[in-house]
Amino acid sequence: MTRRQGKYRDQHPLPRYQKRRHAHLLRAGLLWMLLLAPVVTNNEASAHGTLKLVAVENTWGDLAAQIAEPDMTVTALLASPTVDPHLYAPSTDDARQLADATLVVMNGAGYDTWASKLTDAAGLPAERIIRADSWPGWHTGGNPHLWFDTRAVADFVTRLQAACAQADPTHASAYAQRGRAVLESITQLNAQIAAIRTRVAGRTVAATEPLFDPLAEQMGLDMKEQAFQTAIMNGVEPAPADIARFENDLSTHSLHLLAYNEQMIEPAVMPLLMQADTLGIPSLALTEMLPSTLPYGQPGTGHPPHWQDWIGAIARQTAHLLEKQP
């Protein structure tokens, strides 16, 4: 076992597409049970004076909490960095929470389709559902990892603040104030990314799937191996030519950094990570969920990291790894 292998948390013997097929069958059967399960309606929740925002992913849930709390309670259904959202099978409690919510926040873009099915089944009106993929910059077939794009996040924050004010006019000014604070923090984060861009723009990097691509673009990095990444994201085996190209780019040191999703290591990915390790090409571990502590050993802020802290940490670590390379 190499030194790096010990870091991989999910080395499954089956490729993701087989697991997704199995999970799809499980979800199909579970969905019918969820539709038959008793749920608390939003009218009942309102009658008790409870305002609830339910986020599907904790990335969006953290941003929502910065705007909605304390005037709404905020819950994230997917909150663990060890959960693979692509394989997640919702529970009856998930269905109840979504049906009971004053507002629901989700990524969309085909990333959390099961949540859309549950909100449709619960009859939630469109104005109570805030989807990140409603950002005008995203189009069908685009990168679904929208929380790695600060422009998409800023648009989400603006729309969420307005939705909170519409659902709870009494606290409209508080939602607006907190929304402005989050937007200001995104402006500051963009300034940090712009400063890093001046130091690393043009460096050639790759990833095993396109989590990192939106942020890499903002940093001015030259992202390679796109076909390989798309295949892994879609749960299919990469073409032999794409694997060979990836291996060659590593062996010739054409790549200065390799980013990977440590929540799911596919069989086709493992040899590339081992090759990069052998050649001294640094790798950048990423997760799809917001971690409970800042990654890469960076000092914390005294509280669980917010989305802004996390993205800033990734950008700084990327610069640190690239600037160590010749």
Side-chain angles (χ1 to χ4, degrees):
M1 178 178 292
T2 67
R3 171 170 55 86
R4 185 180 303 281
Q5 280 179 285
K7 299 180 183 178
Y8 301 153
R9 291 186 287 188
D10 290 313
Q11 297 177 34
H12 296 292
L14 293 178
R16 181 182 290 176
Y17 72 90
Q18 292 184 21
K19 289 182 171 289
R20 282 183 180 165
R21 185 182 302 120
H22 179 62
H24 175 74
L25 294 174
L26 288 175
R27 284 201 290 265
L30 180 59
L31 184 59
W32 286 105
M33 290 188 287
L34 296 178
L35 298 183
L36 295 174
V39 297
V40 179
T41 67
N42 190 64
N43 289 336
E44 292 176 83
S46 298
H48 290 85
T50 303
L51 295 175
K52 300 178 181 179
L53 188 154
V54 176
V56 176
E57 301 87 7
N58 72 344
T59 46
W60 300 112
D62 172 72
L63 290 157
Q66 293 181 56
I67 298 167
E69 290 181 343
D71 299 307
M72 294 186 188
T73 61
V74 177
T75 302
L77 300 182
L78 302 183
S80 171
T82 62
V83 172
D84 181 4
H86 302 284
L87 303 180
Y88 185 72
S91 67
T92 53
D93 183 61
D94 294 333
R96 291 189 182 97
Q97 291 201 60
L98 289 170
D100 186 32
T102 306
L103 295 173
V104 170
V105 164
M106 65 179 68
N107 187 78
Y111 186 79
D112 41 20
T113 305
W114 59 268
S116 295
K117 292 179 180 177
L118 292 179
T119 54
D120 288 347
L124 269 67
E127 62 268 19
R128 284 172 50 197
I129 303 172
I130 300 87
R131 297 168 56 106
D133 68 358
S134 295
W135 172 50
W138 186 85
H139 304 285
T140 301
N143 193 316
H145 306 101
L146 291 164
W147 60 93
F148 278 115
D149 192 318
T150 64
R151 299 161 298 184
V153 172
D155 176 80
F156 167 84
V157 167
T158 300
R159 291 186 290 108
L160 178 60
Q161 175 267 311
C164 288
Q166 182 178 2
D168 180 23
T170 301
H171 299 106
S173 61
Y175 296 128
Q177 180 179 6
R178 293 190 290 262
R180 286 192 296 270
V182 176
L183 289 173
E184 175 57 31
S185 72
I186 296 173
T187 298
Q188 295 172 5
L189 176 59
N190 282 333
Q192 296 176 31
I193 294 172
I196 290 173
R197 182 185 179 107
T198 64
R199 293 151 42 196
V200 301
R203 300 301 296 271
T204 304
V205 302
T208 59
E209 57 183 288
L211 295 182
F212 180 56
D213 291 22
L215 182 58
E217 177 188 350
Q218 289 184 258
M219 296 172 67
L221 302 177
D222 183 9
M223 178 63 72
K224 301 297 186 181
E225 323 305 343
Q226 298 281 1
F228 183 99
Q229 295 185 54
T230 300
I232 293 296
M233 180 181 69
N234 291 334
V236 299
E237 188 70 17
D242 296 328
I243 296 174
R245 184 180 304 109
F246 210 142
E247 292 173 342
N248 181 71
D249 287 345
L250 287 170
S251 65
T252 58
H253 287 267
S254 299
L255 302 175
H256 300 110
L257 177 71
L258 177 57
Y260 70 98
N261 179 4
E262 67 174 337
Q263 287 183 238
M264 177 65 75
I265 305 296
E266 302 292 351
V269 167
M270 179 66 71
L272 299 172
L273 292 170
M274 295 175 65
Q275 182 182 3
D277 189 45
T278 300
L279 295 169
I281 297 171
S283 61
L284 179 71
L286 300 171
T287 58
E288 297 184 57
M289 296 292 107
L290 177 67
S292 58
T293 58
L294 280 182
Y296 321 122
Q298 296 192 19
T301 56
H303 58 73
H306 287 309
W307 169 87
Q308 301 94 314
D309 306 319
W310 179 45
I311 298 301
I314 294 171
R316 290 191 300 273
Q317 181 68 1
T318 300
H320 170 70
L321 294 175
L322 286 172
E323 290 176 331
K324 290 171 58 177
Q325 300 298 298

